[in-house]
Structure formats: structure tokens, C-alpha cells
């Protein structure tokens, strides 16, 4: 498939993908960062992003005037089409503000099924602020993660251990300085027959427990020096820090917004890298129908995915094209090639 950038209202663009491109069930991953129902306009002034309430100063990037039930209805129309476009192994990540996010989740439960809700992810968006207000400082927003079915693409993400993690999780060091920890070699539950209850070096598992592995494996661990024996003769399995891929990624992400974005909705590219690596495979199709300045599309391209972007704003389309032009081809990365479709002369009522 050839990559595709569509200049259009995304309701038109999504129908085009379904009816003209016949991509029903073909999209493995959707990431969208729609307006947050703030009721204000976003402008670009002197090359930097600012927010104003009138839209009279600077160049209008996009208007975020739909609020409340009108916003939910606007979003639901698009999510129903996205559900049709998603593959059976597909997932959607919707980035939204906490002020409206709870209502969006209830609506997404209806569209995607509450059984396919995977996570609500807290994203740390900025450093702490000291504004005078009645309420706690807001440094977060929300990403709602749903899958199309119970078996989505899932490439387990891992995060590197920090120095503090290593000290806490792997507190011991061997003679060569390798950090490690130890874990029991038995688990709850008794077995009557089989190797998990056999004698190991003359010992049975503690009462009410069984060996985690068969006795042959325990003996191999012992021969390789992978068991640590206590002074009382209690063996534990050695786990080395440098043999682990890292720690599981949790549901609080610290990916702050760029300090000087080129477009109001620009997000941290590392956030998109994580989502794309986790919930799609090489050559998967990644779709962003609120593509803004094209961060999703660039990350998808650099990670060897096909991509589709839809955006109505003239400024955003130009920013996306400029961003894709910054990608330089090399042995591993191709120069972005894509079809460009403009549907801005056609009006669609929302």
C-alpha cells in the first residue's frame, strides 16, 4: 500500500477510505488527538504556538469551539467509521483532556465494547505550574486505549531500568559486580504426581508448595551456578539484571509536550514511537485522522509502517508535508512517498 495524506474534513476522509479505497478492516492502529472541547481557538503567532479566545491575532491553526454533547456527537460519528476501518487485530488510542475524557470513555465503551477497553493511560504533559487556582495543578491528560477484539497486536513494551530501579530490584552483587536478585524455586500448591514434587538434592518442596520447574531443570541451574544457597541450605534462583529486557511499561507516561511546537497539537515523538511499536507490526497501516503536524505519520514511517493522515487545516497540512520532508533516506529508511488527496472543496455537515 502507498502512504496517503488527505486534506479534508475527517468525516469525508474516513468515508473515502471505506468506500473508495476499500480499507474496511485493514487498519491495525489508530492514534488520534482530537480537539479537547476547550471552547477556544488555537493560533500560531511569530512562529510559536499560543492560545487566544477570539482568533483575531496571529494565524488561526484550528478552532475548538464544539463542547459538551455536540463534541461527543462529533467524535462518535468518526469513531463509528474508525471501528469499521480497524482490523480484527487492531487497536485505537484516543488522546483527550480529563475535563471531557470521562464522557468520551462512556461513549467509546458503547462503540468498541467495554470488554475491549484496555487502559486509561495518564500522560504527564508538562512540568508543575504554580498558578493561583482553586484546585490542584494539572500536569496530565488522558489516553484511552481500546482494541477491536480480544486478540490485538501486542508487542510487549519494556522500559530501561533506572539506577534507582537497579538498586531496588537487584540489590545484590556477585564477585564480578553483576547486580542480581533471587526468587523462590517453589510456588503455592501441592502436586501428588510428577517431577514438580520429586526430591531435589534430598529435599521435598515446603509443605503446601511445589517446585516451579522439574527437578532436571533445578539440577541444571545448580550446575550453572544459578542457585544461591542460604546458610540453612535453602536454594533460591539467581536473576541477573543484565539478562532482563527491562521493566514492564505501566499506565503513567512521562512524555512532555515540545517546548516550542511548530503546531498547537504537536506531541512528543517518543510517545508515538511507543504506541506504534507496541500495537502494530512492520508494514501495518497506521491511521491518524486528526494528524496535526504529522508526528504520528513520521514515527510510523521511521518504524517501517504504512501510514494514512487526514487533516482539514491548511497550516497543519503544510506542517505535515514539511515534517515528512525532513526524513532523509538511508540504508534502513526510505524517502517518504505518498499520494495526496484534497477534498477541501466538498462540505460535510457535522
Amino acid at each position: 500500500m502507498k502512504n496517503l495524506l488527505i486534506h479534508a474534513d475527517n468525516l469525508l476522509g474516513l468515508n473515502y477510505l471505506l468506500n473508495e479505497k476499500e480499507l474496511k478492516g485493514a487498519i491495525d492502529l489508530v492514534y488520534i488527538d482530537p480537539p479537547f472541547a476547550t471552547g477556544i481557538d488555537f493560533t500560531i503567532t511569530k512562529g510559536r504556538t499560543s492560545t487566544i479566545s477570539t482568533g483575531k491575532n496571529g494565524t488561526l491553526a484550528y478552532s475548538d469551539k464544539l463542547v459538551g454533547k455536540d463534541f461527543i456527537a462529533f467524535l462518535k460519528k468518526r469513531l463509528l467509521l474508525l471501528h469499521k476501518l480497524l482490523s480484527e487485530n487492531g487497536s485505537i488510542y484516543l488522546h483527550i483532556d480529563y475535563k471531557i475524557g470521562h464522557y468520551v470513555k462512556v461513549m467509546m465503551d458503547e462503540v468498541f465494547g467495554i470488554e475491549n477497553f484496555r487502559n486509561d493511560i495518564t500522560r504527564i504533559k508538562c512540568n508543575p505550574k504554580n498558578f493561583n487556582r482553586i484546585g490542584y495543578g494539572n500536569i496530565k491528560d488522558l489516553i484511552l486505549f481500546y482494541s477491536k477484539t480480544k486478540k490485538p497486536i501486542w508487542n510487549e513494551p519494556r522500559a530501561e531500568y533506572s539506577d534507582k530501579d537497579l538498586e531496588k530490584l537487584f540489590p545484590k552483587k556477585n564477585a564480578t559486580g553483576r547486580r542480581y536478585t533471587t526468587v523462590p524455586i517453589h510456588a503455592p500448591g501441592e502436586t501428588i504426581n510428577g517431577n514438580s514434587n520429586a526430591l531435589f538434592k534430598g529435599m521435598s518442596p515446603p509443605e503446601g508448595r511445589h517446585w516451579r520447574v522439574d527437578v532436571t531443570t533445578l539440577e541444571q541451574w545448580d550446575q550453572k551456578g544459578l542457585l544461591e544457597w542460604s546458610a540453612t541450605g535453602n536454594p533460591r534462583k539467581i536473576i541477573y539484571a543484565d539478562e532482563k529486557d527491562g521493566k514492564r511499561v505501566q499506565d503513567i507516561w512521562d512524555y512532555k509536550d515540545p517546548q516550542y511546537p511548530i503546531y498547537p497539537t504537536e506531541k512528543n515523538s517518543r510517545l508515538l514511537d511507543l504506541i506504534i511499536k507496541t500495537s502494530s507490526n512492520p508494514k501495518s497501516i497506521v491511521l491518524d485522522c486528526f494528524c496535526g503536524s504529522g508526528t504520528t505519520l513520521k514515527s510510523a514511517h521511521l518504524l517501517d509502517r504504512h501510514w494514512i493522515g487526514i487533516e482539514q487545516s491548511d497550516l497543519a497540512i503544510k506542517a505535515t508535508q514539511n515534517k515528512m520532508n525532513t526524513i532523509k533516506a538511508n540504508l534502513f529508511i526510505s524517502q517518504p512517498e505518498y499520494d495526496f488527496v484534497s477534498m477541501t472543496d466538498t462540505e460535510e455537515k457535522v
Side-chain angles (χ1 to χ4, degrees), residues 147-193:
S147 58
K148 178 80 172 277
T149 65
K150 293 182 178 180
K151 294 184 177 181
I153 294 170
W154 181 256
N155 303 309
E156 179 69 44
R158 293 281 174 176
E160 290 186 8
Y161 292 116
S162 67
D163 290 341
K164 187 173 291 186
D165 290 331
L166 291 171
E167 292 176 6
K168 180 180 179 181
L169 299 175
F170 303 92
K172 300 182 178 184
K173 289 184 180 181
N174 69 6
T176 62
R178 290 180 74 189
R179 281 198 171 275
Y180 72 96
T181 188
T182 60
V183 296
I185 62 171
H186 44 72
E190 288 184 309
T191 58
I192 298 175
N193 300 313

Side-chain angles (χ1 to χ4, degrees), residues 115-289:
E115 70 278 7
N116 292 318
F117 169 70
R118 299 297 166 199
N119 283 100
D120 100 23
I121 299 161
T122 295
R123 199 272 302 217
I124 307 300
K125 64 181 180 179
C126 61
N127 294 323
K129 292 181 169 56
N130 294 314
F131 300 140
N132 290 324
R133 57 179 294 185
I134 298 175
Y136 303 102
N138 176 28
I139 62 170
K140 70 184 188 304
D141 53 25
L142 171 71
I143 301 173
L144 295 169
F145 168 30
Y146 286 77
S147 58
K148 178 80 172 277
T149 65
K150 293 182 178 180
K151 294 184 177 181
I153 294 170
W154 181 256
N155 303 309
E156 179 69 44
R158 293 281 174 176
E160 290 186 8
Y161 292 116
S162 67
D163 290 341
K164 187 173 291 186
D165 290 331
L166 291 171
E167 292 176 6
K168 180 180 179 181
L169 299 175
F170 303 92
K172 300 182 178 184
K173 289 184 180 181
N174 69 6
T176 62
R178 290 180 74 189
R179 281 198 171 275
Y180 72 96
T181 188
T182 60
V183 296
I185 62 171
H186 44 72
E190 288 184 309
T191 58
I192 298 175
N193 300 313
N195 286 334
S196 63
N197 199 42
L199 291 177
F200 170 57
K201 294 196 176 295
M203 296 185 299
S204 296
E207 185 177 352
R209 301 180 74 85
H210 66 277
W211 301 126
R212 290 184 180 274
V213 294
D214 58 66
V215 171
T216 301
T217 301
L218 292 178
E219 291 171 345
Q220 290 173 351
W221 286 351
D222 192 36
Q223 291 170 6
K224 293 177 181 178
L226 294 177
L227 294 182
E228 183 177 78
W229 295 81
S230 70
T232 58
N234 178 39
R236 291 172 64 90
K237 174 71 164 58
I238 294 173
I239 307 293
Y240 287 106
D242 57 17
E243 293 180 348
K244 302 293 287 183
D245 292 331
K247 58 185 178 181
R248 288 206 76 197
V249 175
Q250 305 299 308
D251 61 1
I252 298 178
W253 298 358
D254 191 358
Y255 293 113
K256 297 182 178 65
D257 288 332
Q259 187 174 5
Y260 298 115
I262 62 173
Y263 190 76
T265 60
E266 189 173 15
K267 294 296 183 287
N268 190 316
S269 61
R270 292 188 298 118
L271 180 151
L272 275 307
D273 290 345
L274 172 60
I275 290 172
I276 292 169
K277 288 177 183 177
T278 301
S279 292
S280 70
N281 293 322
K283 307 306 179 183
S284 286
I285 304 175
V286 177
L287 168 63
D288 186 345
C289 62

Side-chain angles (χ1 to χ4, degrees), residues 66-105:
L66 282 177
V67 295
K69 64 180 182 180
D70 292 333
F71 175 76
I72 297 297
F74 161 88
L75 201 53
K76 185 175 181 179
K77 285 183 180 181
R78 287 144 179 85
L79 290 174
L80 287 168
L81 297 176
L82 289 168
H83 186 269
K84 293 179 181 180
L85 286 163
L86 275 178
S87 71
E88 291 302 295
N89 305 116
S91 297
I92 180 169
Y93 291 72
L94 186 147
H95 205 142
I96 199 70
D97 183 80
Y98 269 88
K99 292 178 182 178
I100 193 73
H102 304 87
Y103 304 100
V104 173
K105 184 189 182 301

